[in-house]
Amino acid sequence: MKNYKIAVIEGDGIGKEVVSEGIRVLEAAGRGFDLSFSWERFDWSCERYAKTGRMMPEDGLDQLRPFDAIYLGAVGYPGVPDHVSLWGLLIPIRRAFQQYVCVRPARLLKGITSPLSGRKAGDIDFIIVRENNEGEYSEVGGRMNRDTEFDMAIQQSIFTRRGCDRIITWAFELARTRKKHVTSATKSNGIVYSMPFWDERFAAIAKKYPDVKTDQYHIDILTAHFVAHPDWFDVVVGSNLFGDILSDLGAAVVGSMGLAPSANINPEREFPSTFEPVHGSAPDIAGKGIANPIAQIWSGAMMLEHLGEKQAARAIEQAIFKVLAHSDIRTRDIGGRASTRDVGEVIAAEVSSVA
Ligand code: GGG
């Protein structure tokens, strides 16, 4: 029996509730596919920050390094500034472990109503590939003249050739396994250095993939096309910020933030990769047991896929699809009354029955 060592960071808010259901479903998959998991929980969170002044201990990254993967819930809670919580936990993990590919599927599933009229299951099925290590999320910049009338802030975007080429290449390779179409998110009319550079790198990499159709849109019209023509897209590649914004929009058009999984991948496998839902900690519904756990559960399937457990990953995905298509056990964001736990249990039972 294969055993995987998984670091679990539930984090904040609904992270604690949805991660339990993700583990329940992964355990069911483990029983069915002869896998076992050694879960080690880390209480790294805003709560910990309030007690100790740090989101994670100083040697936190060293503690995570030996794991096969990291399964994370959500980060951020009122009382701790969002940039402190994010830069104290998630961003250092993504960077230190060279998780430069962030994969965020958006798929309209049977049994889910899109807010876009006339769209049915299968009409929307694209994957956002977000650059995850540089771009607009940079530590280069500063503040001057704080609390005076000359107060100012500078934030420098970082676009390297290596960073652009590796994420764009990854997107093209993914497209070759799908509908062979890559769309680039740009803004090279207004952002005069980094975005024309991004476009240049996109064009250079595209030349190596003559079998893959390409297009590019400025981010403003691209967001409009996501709403008006979501069926146009297959793989959409974007910078750190653009990819982040597009993935929330992608989640919205396929019915709920609660249905959007994600994977932060270190393709070279030199370090563990992190699997987390796109959504945040949702303090407004935290502790009520009503959060949708499907994004977290689906992120668990992405984790198994990355670990090479493809059959088990497929079983979890199929269980999610079946429950959404045929059961009314669903949380209120998608029109039901069920609890987080009810949904986790029904998906786990379905995984057990197919395994
Ligand atoms: N599920 C992880 C989480 O809490 N994400 C919230 C968030 O705002 N993340 C920022 C980012 O992905 O850049």
Side-chain angles (χ1 to χ4, degrees):
M1 178 184 286
K2 189 103 200 247
N3 178 265
Y4 292 104
K5 281 179 63 177
I6 311 293
V8 179
I9 306 173
E10 295 174 336
D12 300 300
I14 61 167
K16 297 181 201 306
E17 298 155 56
V18 293
V19 165
S20 303
E21 300 315 314
I23 290 177
R24 184 193 303 284
V25 173
L26 284 161
E27 282 287 343
R31 285 190 293 277
F33 291 91
D34 211 23
L35 312 172
S36 66
F37 301 96
S38 302
W39 308 103
E40 191 168 329
R41 284 185 158 76
F42 296 86
D43 69 343
W44 303 346
S45 59
C46 289
E47 214 173 303
R48 187 182 189 284
Y49 181 90
K51 286 187 208 141
T52 68
R54 290 188 67 98
M55 292 292 293
M56 64 173 159
E58 237 166 304
D59 67 345
L61 296 169
D62 292 333
Q63 291 190 40
L64 294 177
R65 209 179 301 272
F67 284 87
D68 292 311
I70 301 163
Y71 195 48
L72 186 140
V75 182
Y77 215 71
V80 180
D82 287 339
H83 66 281
V84 171
S85 52
L86 203 64
W87 280 86
L89 184 57
L90 193 46
I91 305 250
I93 292 172
R94 287 177 181 162
R95 289 190 182 199
F97 295 154
Q98 285 292 299
Q99 297 169 353
Y100 59 85
V101 177
C102 183
V103 191
R104 298 184 151 185
R107 186 159 162 190
L108 180 55
L109 299 173
K110 206 163 169 206
I112 296 294
T113 307
S114 168
L116 308 179
S117 68
R119 300 292 178 183
K120 56 181 192 324
D123 287 352
I124 308 176
D125 180 4
F126 56 81
I127 298 186
I128 291 153
V129 175
R130 169 191 184 186
E131 199 294 316
N132 217 26
N133 275 182
E134 54 176 48
E136 306 85 350
Y137 283 40
S138 96
E139 289 165 279
V140 180
R143 286 285 296 270
M144 235 169 78
N145 303 324
R146 273 181 203 257
D147 305 323
T148 73
E149 64 176 305
F150 305 107
D151 207 349
M152 58 163 283
I154 291 181
Q155 176 86 44
Q156 199 71 57
S157 291
I158 307 293
F159 285 77
T160 65
R161 182 168 175 151
R162 179 165 180 259
C164 294
D165 286 10
R166 65 187 183 178
I167 192 68
I168 294 168
T169 300
W170 205 91
F172 274 93
E173 289 293 329
L174 176 64
R176 273 193 171 158
T177 67
R178 292 173 49 91
K179 289 178 268 173
K180 294 197 168 85
H181 178 194
V182 180
T183 301
S184 166
T186 185
K187 189 62 189 168
S188 47
N189 57 350
I191 299 178
V192 73
Y193 295 119
S194 57
M195 283 292 143
F197 178 66
W198 170 273
D199 292 354
E200 273 173 38
R201 297 320 307 156
F202 183 74
I205 303 296
K207 275 202 188 122
K208 299 183 193 165
Y209 294 86
D211 53 318
V212 177
K213 181 183 152 194
T214 59
D215 44 27
Q216 66 181 52
Y217 297 99
H218 294 310
I219 190 69
D220 42 348
I221 189 63
L222 182 54
T223 56
H225 288 331
F226 264 39
V227 173
H229 309 289
D231 51 307
W232 283 1
F233 302 105
D234 175 23
V235 173
V236 181
V237 64
S239 64
N240 210 328
L241 180 63
F242 289 175
D244 191 34
I245 295 168
L246 288 174
S247 44
D248 277 34
L249 183 53
V253 300
V254 299
S256 172
M257 287 305 298
L259 298 172
S262 97
N264 304 277
I265 297 195
N266 169 237
E268 292 75 22
R269 296 171 187 271
E270 292 164 323
F271 304 104
S273 294
T274 301
F275 301 84
E276 50 155 344
V278 171
H279 66 69
S281 58
D284 54 329
I285 57 164
K288 296 184 179 165
I290 59 171
N292 189 341
I294 289 178
Q296 185 78 52
I297 294 168
W298 198 341
S299 304
M302 292 176 85
M303 180 168 83
L304 289 180
E305 171 97 35
H306 180 74
L307 293 171
E309 302 296 346
K310 293 189 190 314
Q311 266 189 304
R314 286 295 87 72
I316 294 180
E317 281 177 4
Q318 291 310 316
I320 294 170
F321 303 160
K322 192 165 172 194
V323 165
L324 288 174
H326 301 297
S327 153
D328 58 2
I329 300 178
R330 56 185 58 216
T331 45
R332 51 203 79 191
D333 56 308
I334 49 173
R337 306 297 301 165
S339 69
T340 308
R341 185 176 179 143
D342 293 337
V343 174
E345 284 178 348
V346 72
I347 294 173
E350 189 55 42
V351 169
S352 301
S353 79
V354 296

